[in-house]
Amino acid sequence: MSTKRGRIRITGFDTDRVTDRERLSDWREATTTGGTDGRWKRAWRRFRENRAAMLGVYTVAIMSLLALFSQKVVVAGVPVQPFAIAPYEPGEILYLQNPSLERFNPPTLAHPMGLDANGRDIFSRLLVGGRISISIGFVVVCITATIGMAYGAIAGYYGGWVDEVMMRFVDVIFAFPGLVLALVIVALLGGGYWPLVVAFTVPGWASYARLIRGEVLSVKENEYVLAAQALGARDRSVIFRHIVPNAMAPLIVQASLSIGTVVIGVAALGFLGLGFPPGTPEWGTMLNQTRSTIITGPGGTIPWWVTVFPGGAIFLFVMAMNMIGDGINDALDAQEISAAGAGGAE
Amino acid sequence: MSLRRFILKRVLLVFPILLGVSIVTFSLVKLTPGNPVQVAIGLNPDMGPQEIARLKQRYGLTQPAWKQYLNWLGDIVLHGDFGSTYGARERAVSDIIANRLPETVVLGLFGWVFALAIAIPTGIYAAVRKDELGDHVSRFVALAGISLPNFWLGLMLILVFALVLNLFPVSAPRKPLWHPATLWYLLLPGITIGTASASNLMRIMRSSMAEEMNKEYVTAARAKGLPERTVVLKHVLRNSLISVTTVAAFLTAAIVSGSVVVEQVFGWPGLGRELIAAVRNRQVDLILGITLFTGVAIILANLLADILYAVLDPRIRYD
């Protein structure tokens, strides 16, 4: 037992045995013994009854599976995922092999979403592009939520000047429009998958930090925290085992609503031509240059399919994600958290 | 705490944040590859080491980073000098900002007005008709509005209203800012930039109205026989508008972010388009200037919202 902090010295107190006992004891939350259900179980039931939210879950699941099975995944020569449902290679210029096709071929049965300015199959590109656009949202939200949770928990738990300094830094991050900060970071690092993850992590963690700090401030007044401290639990375990789990609900709501914001932000940088090299099958990058192609289309026609489908994919995914987020919010009965700033990163 | 003391305290708190914003911006941008010397070497690869050294001297790049920072900050605070672009044509960053700012502000105003005009009435309607069909429909539309990528919305509006229906020109008219043709052209970008904010605001408006409707003063107002219209519009609306001011600053940030993308979609010559051009051409001083400028604008918007909040709701001055 460490007594560095001048607490009462307790001897003959074997911490290993205490953890052992905790695991062995047959004490459980009142929930499993019948009667009322636990909070998470109740929330899950309410979520399942929400038809809009379940529609969102199915949509996200289908879109993710389509992206996953769009092309074979080969790791070190071993095919991990042998399916390829995308009918063409995303970079394949089709009019070179098939003379009946041309650039901006309108949607046909063989090419349900038409061909783009370079004669590539838009449907195949959308399927493959989902890998980048969908995964990056989840990756960024996992990283930012973890960082923000740790940061906010520490600031809220210690309070005083530590809190003051840490939260002023959060204020500084909040002073930047997220997309502008991401833009500057992409200018610094260049485009690509991981640079974009960094670019959206730097402005993204601050809202979680502020949220969790507020939660921790109220949760830490509870008696069980005092009890844990009195038992001599270390700060780290008080914060992460007792306080944080009780501040999780609003964090999950915020996280689920942020995925869409990140996906839109990444696509926006792609649209501006800064996110990925031109020609990358990514939903936003596919829309880069389409402003000029719809205005000055070939032969006076408007190639609407070049714009409608990639943007529609982003919209469909983000909408489904936000329906899930709203469903989680209602299920956990947390207060309304806005997806502030969506539509162009917060 | 009196109102005056609250405002004073809040204004003083702004300075450390301003300082932090300037430090973060400076250190981020200074790490960006591509300083004026590298650009000059790119234009003229025959330069000798002596000339390179002299160039570095000229741009103050031989000094340690903290000194460069203090020089940069000093120039801005004391002389309003944000540095200049380099290359064939040197332009003062402060001139660029001053020239482009009105365009961005007007576009932002269009977005703001659109957001408020849509969000407040629908928010009231949805709260009054809570859990009825109208509420469900308007909530669904608001959710769709949040989920729309603004650049795609802009492209679709151009496609439908400018190209198919021919109601708007496809590019900005070369007219002064206040010319009716320019203002007409600004309608589509204004709608594009305001849609996400309108949807957010509507959701907030609805939930804060619905919360207020359950309070006792509403029951009291109904009990004394006031018509429902008066109860909603005079009593509930006033109180829920207070909470709307707190998100106003948030929405300002969203509109500033949005302007970067929307100006690109509609070819509107504002600060956002200038920023993207600066990032593409690695104009360090210009990136610094615009980023710092937007940061300060958002801090000030926050400050205004806080003060407005304290004026409207005296309870929060006593914390």
Side-chain angles (χ1 to χ4, degrees), chain A residues 185-208:
Chain A
I185 293 169
V186 166
L188 183 73
L189 299 175
Y193 192 91
W194 292 106
L196 279 174
V197 169
V198 175
F200 284 91
T201 301
V202 171
W205 61 273
S207 55
Y208 299 101

Side-chain angles (χ1 to χ4, degrees), chain B residues 6-24:
Chain B
F6 175 84
I7 293 176
L8 190 71
K9 195 180 141 200
R10 197 55 197 75
V11 169
L12 286 178
L13 263 175
V14 160
F15 288 97
I17 299 175
L18 279 176
L19 205 64
V21 165
S22 73
I23 292 175
V24 169

Side-chain angles (χ1 to χ4, degrees), chain A residues 164 168-169 171-181 183-190 202 210 257 264-265 267-269 271-274 283-284 287-288 290-292 294-295 302-304 307-316 318-320 322-323 326 329-330 336-346, chain B residues 13 16-18 20-22 24-25 27-33 139-140 143-152 155-156 158-159 163-164 170-172 185 196-197 200 203-204 206-207 247 250-251 253-254 256-258 260-261 264-267 272 275-276 279-280 282 287 290-292 294-296 298-299 302:
Chain A
E164 196 66 27
R168 285 296 86 77
F169 185 60
D171 287 345
V172 168
I173 297 289
F174 261 100
F176 293 99
L179 192 70
V180 170
L181 203 50
L183 202 74
V184 173
I185 293 169
V186 166
L188 183 73
L189 299 175
V202 171
R210 198 178 261 184
L257 287 171
I264 289 181
L269 288 189
F271 166 73
L272 295 173
L274 299 169
W283 294 345
L287 288 170
N288 184 16
T290 52
R291 175 176 187 265
S292 48
I294 54 169
I295 293 174
I302 303 168
W304 50 269
T307 307
V308 169
F309 293 119
I314 305 172
F315 172 57
L316 190 64
V318 174
M319 179 87 186
N322 282 339
M323 274 160 42
D326 269 7
N329 188 25
D330 292 344
E336 204 104 83
I337 295 169
S338 70
E346 50 189 274
Chain B
L13 263 175
I17 299 175
L18 279 176
V21 165
S22 73
V24 169
T25 319
S27 36
L28 265 181
V29 176
K30 276 294 151 175
L31 295 173
T32 308
R139 283 177 73 191
F140 183 79
L143 197 66
I146 290 175
S147 313
L148 272 171
N150 49 9
F151 50 94
W152 187 60
L155 290 171
M156 297 313 284
I158 291 179
L159 187 67
L163 291 170
V164 177
V170 285
S171 55
Y185 177 73
S197 301
N200 261 318
R203 282 156 61 99
I204 292 161
R206 174 186 171 274
S207 60
V247 294
F250 248 147
L251 295 183
V256 170
S257 270
V260 174
V261 174
Q264 201 74 11
V265 176
F266 287 91
L275 176 66
I276 289 165
V279 167
R280 287 215 179 108
R282 306 230 176 271
I287 302 176
I290 296 177
T291 313
L292 185 71
T294 52
V296 171
I298 288 173
I299 293 173
N302 262 315

Side-chain angles (χ1 to χ4, degrees), chain A residues 216-227 229 242 246:
Chain A
V216 167
L217 282 183
S218 66
V219 170
K220 83 171 177 185
E221 300 301 321
N222 283 325
E223 273 142 12
Y224 60 80
V225 173
L226 191 64
Q229 285 167 337
H242 298 277
N246 285 293

